[in-house]
Amino acid sequence: MALGFSSSLSLFFVLVVFNLVSGKKVLEDGYEVTTVVDGHKSGLNPYTIHALPGSSNLIVLDSSGSTFYTTSFPLSVDSVINRFAGDGTSGYLDGKAGNSKFNKPRGFAIDAKGNVYVADKGNNVIRKISSSGYVTTIAGGISKDIGHRDGPAQNATFSNDFEITFVPQRCCLLVSDHGNEMVRQINLKEEDCLKSSHSNLGTYSLWSIGIALSCFLGVAIGFAASPYIIRHTGRSQPPLVHHDMEASPNQIGGTSSDLLLLR
Ligand SMILES: *[C@@H]1O[C@H](CO)[C@@H](O)[C@H](O)[C@H]1NC(C)=O
């Protein structure tokens, strides 16, 4: 086992050294590059871009200008670019996105609801631009010092070089804290990880009521039909419709709460 590992390790190094020495290139064709935003025209220097989930909108960070912009597909050099957050100067100001100030953000991440989390490197804090356009500080806000303290997020400290990533499967932010050589985790609020939770919940409860109603009707029909069945077969058996009621929520992939609702 150990021999296998060390020999594959040496093979790996041989391959790396071989590639470094030979400088081998493998050119894969079939791709094309197009300039779709020209910062000279719009006065923005793109540093990081992310697509807003479930829309054609994009958020562009101009780190040197400490400002966020929005634009949308289809992109062209004539695309309209709007200032979204940050006022074009660096500083530290929460509140309405249009008047807020950031200090050379290193990057940002967007959750399922469209809230933007900003690695505000220059201020050593993590800021949130809510989907309604309001800026708050969610981590590091108390001391704003450089450090690596964990704990309640406002008491935490970060290095002066970090980046953040949203992990939808775990509903959390991961902070790749370069300066500290650490990965830090911040769990987010559950409601921010549900895709447009409001409309989904509405549909969901309507759907449940629909199932409950059809089930009730099914039972009513079952009762109405049961004398028939008894007379026909001569023995009493539970009406078939009753059986359907138990089966239907599972067939459509209902959860245990649907079953509770139906009982
Ligand atoms: C966090 O900071 C506040 C304000 O300075 C302080 O009162 C509190 O004790 C701190 N909590 C922890 C866990 O460090």
Side-chain angles (χ1 to χ4, degrees):
M1 202 62 184
L3 196 78
F5 178 70
S6 62
S7 59
S8 51
L9 199 69
S10 20
L11 180 68
F12 174 74
F13 277 115
V14 168
L15 283 175
V16 167
V17 169
F18 177 76
N19 271 332
L20 285 177
V21 170
S22 70
K24 191 179 163 203
K25 277 192 231 173
V26 179
L27 304 182
E28 182 180 340
D29 282 334
Y31 300 93
E32 191 176 318
V33 178
T34 316
T35 297
V36 288
V37 171
D38 186 349
H40 298 99
K41 267 180 147 182
S42 38
L44 97 104
N45 188 355
Y47 188 76
T48 308
I49 303 177
H50 291 300
L52 213 63
S55 88
S56 58
N57 293 335
L58 297 165
I59 296 178
V60 184
L61 164 62
D62 177 342
S63 180
S64 53
S66 299
T67 303
F68 292 84
Y69 296 87
T70 57
T71 187
S72 59
F73 280 110
L75 290 169
S76 77
V77 284
D78 299 320
S79 288
V80 176
I81 292 167
N82 293 307
R83 190 168 57 87
F84 164 59
D87 69 354
T89 64
S90 55
Y92 191 171
L93 190 62
D94 285 332
K96 275 183 69 178
N99 301 328
S100 62
K101 286 180 195 288
F102 298 85
N103 193 356
K104 310 277 189 289
R106 177 73 168 72
F108 66 99
I110 309 175
D111 70 18
K113 226 179 185 178
N115 300 303
V116 174
Y117 300 90
V118 181
D120 193 350
K121 180 177 88 119
N123 289 321
N124 312 118
V125 296
I126 296 176
R127 317 271 295 275
K128 175 182 179 180
I129 310 169
S130 75
S131 49
S132 58
Y134 197 81
V135 180
T136 53
T137 300
I138 65 159
I142 288 174
S143 75
K144 291 174 55 195
D145 286 341
I146 291 174
H148 54 83
R149 195 190 307 133
D150 284 338
Q154 296 297 2
N155 295 58
T157 53
F158 303 93
S159 75
N160 61 356
D161 192 9
F162 61 96
E163 173 67 280
I164 50 183
T165 305
F166 172 59
V167 185
Q169 300 89 333
R170 293 274 169 238
C171 191
C172 70
L173 294 179
L174 288 182
V175 181
S176 44
D177 193 338
H178 306 302
N180 285 321
E181 284 188 49
M182 288 171 180
V183 176
R184 325 270 300 271
Q185 179 171 341
I186 302 172
N187 294 330
L188 294 179
K189 295 172 181 169
E190 231 172 82
E191 71 259 24
D192 288 335
C193 296
L194 301 171
K195 278 195 185 111
S196 57
S197 58
H198 216 72
S199 61
N200 272 353
L201 267 180
T203 318
Y204 179 77
S205 36
L206 261 183
W207 181 77
S208 302
I209 291 169
I211 298 249
L213 210 69
S214 52
C215 212
F216 176 77
L217 277 176
V219 173
I221 292 169
F223 271 117
S226 58
Y228 248 117
I229 297 169
I230 291 163
R231 222 183 305 150
H232 227 64
T233 59
R235 60 199 158 97
S236 84
Q237 59 181 43
L240 283 171
V241 189
H242 190 78
H243 219 68
D244 282 349
M245 180 191 77
E246 302 265 272
S248 61
N250 285 332
Q251 279 165 3
I252 336 175
T255 62
S256 51
S257 62
D258 297 326
L259 289 170
L260 275 180
L261 190 85
L262 292 169
R263 269 171 196 158

